[in-house]
Every structure is written in structure tokens, then in C-alpha cells.
Amino acid sequence: MNPCTHQWSMCHVRHGYVVVEGCFECGGRLSFFSEEPLPPVDEHRDGQHFWSYLGSSQTVKFDLHCCKCGTTVNLGDVNGIMFSECQDPDCAVGALLAGQGGRALVYVALCPDSTHARGRCVSHDGVAALTEYFNQDLGPRDRKIVVVPCKQCNSIDRCRGTVIADVGLTDIQ
């Protein structure tokens, strides 16, 4: 049996904000998705951590569904997608972008724990499905899109890029 050549479409689309909080006690950074009309900025204590608002960006959250085989990829571990403008040659994302020589765009899938202290990031299946989704309707002359998990950034807190906020997502091309 041949594996499906997926035809992905967005499903479970939600508009909102990716909100970033930091704990100055431990240096941790967390983010979460909020569908509130304005991003929440309240400080709060959670155990030994005191989380403070650091910033937010409008974004869209979604899952992917294959119209051919019915597979759905849950992208619950993706809090947003950032169009990378990294110029740091010591960063894997910056090196990837420089190595493409303008032939590809690099999108960074943002997970909830930018410090990766818990050892988790965006799933491999999620990154693979996002890469297929963004490239499925591109022609041979179009720039390709490479999606990478945020753990490949030296520091996502200092990474240059633009969080994508619309459902078109490929309009940046």
C-alpha cells in the first residue's frame, strides 16, 4: 500500500495571541495561546515561580487535516509560527537561512517552553506536516518553505522574526 501524498488543510482554526511570560527567579520562559480579545498581562505565582508578562504577538492556532486519507495532525504543541529573519551565523536557524541563499524561507514553529527546560518542543510529526502544508501548492519556481522547531534557535527570546498572524500564512512569500 502506498503512503498518502497528503493534501493538508487547516482545521480547528483559532485567532488570538501567543503570550510570553518570564520568571525572574529561575530565568524560565513560557508561552501560551490566548483567544481573549486582548492578551492577558497579569502577573501570577505558580509554586516557586513568579511569572511576569514579557510580550505578545497576534497569531493563529490550528491543526492540519488531510482531505485524501482523513488523517488529522494535532498541532497543540505549536503556539505560533514565526517567519525567521535570523542573521546569527552561530545559530542553526541562521545558518540554515544563510545556506538557502534566498531559495527558501524558514519558519520556526514556536512551542510553549522556549527555554526547553522540560525537554519538549514541537513534535517531529507536526514539523513534517507543516512543511508539507506550506509547500503543497508551490510551483517549481517558487521559494520553498522549511519549517523547524524552535529548539534549533540559539535563543528564541533574541531571535529575529515575525510571528505570522493570518490564516493565509504563506502570504509572506
Side-chain angles (χ1 to χ4, degrees):
M1 182 172 168
N2 291 334
C4 182
T5 54
H6 298 295
Q7 183 64 39
W8 297 112
S9 63
M10 287 185 184
C11 62
H12 310 127
V13 177
R14 287 128 19 236
H15 297 273
Y17 296 88
V18 58
V19 179
V20 181
E21 296 180 325
C23 175
F24 296 103
E25 297 287 327
C26 72
R29 299 284 183 271
L30 296 176
S31 68
F32 62 92
F33 179 78
S34 172
E35 292 184 74
E36 294 182 32
L38 295 172
V41 297
D42 301 336
E43 296 178 336
H44 58 96
R45 181 163 291 285
D46 180 20
Q48 295 180 350
H49 302 283
F50 187 75
W51 298 104
S52 297
Y53 173 82
L54 296 178
S56 61
S57 296
Q58 281 187 299
T59 192
V60 61
K61 194 167 173 75
F62 57 92
D63 296 322
L64 291 174
H65 179 76
C66 177
C67 303
K68 291 182 178 178
C69 70
T71 298
T72 298
V73 175
N74 181 323
L75 298 174
D77 57 0
V78 179
N79 277 350
I81 298 172
M82 180 177 72
F83 169 67
S84 179
E85 300 172 68
C86 183
Q87 296 178 352
D88 180 356
D90 296 327
C91 176
V93 175
L96 174 64
L97 193 56
Q100 296 298 316
R103 294 183 313 272
L105 302 174
V106 177
Y107 288 179
V108 179
L110 305 171
C111 78
D113 181 7
S114 65
T115 59
H116 302 99
R118 296 182 178 120
R120 291 184 303 239
C121 193
V122 176
S123 73
H124 173 74
D125 289 345
V127 169
L130 284 166
T131 299
E132 288 175 3
Y133 170 73
F134 288 125
N135 287 288
Q136 69 188 0
D137 294 326
L138 298 180
R141 297 182 104 110
D142 292 327
R143 285 194 277 179
K144 299 301 179 201
I145 296 173
V146 178
V147 180
V148 297
C150 63
K151 69 181 176 186
Q152 289 191 7
C153 293
N154 277 357
S155 173
I156 196 65
D157 298 325
R158 293 189 318 260
C159 195
R160 290 181 56 178
T162 304
V163 175
I164 300 170
D166 65 2
V167 291
L169 295 176
T170 54
D171 295 344
I172 284 180
Q173 298 176 38

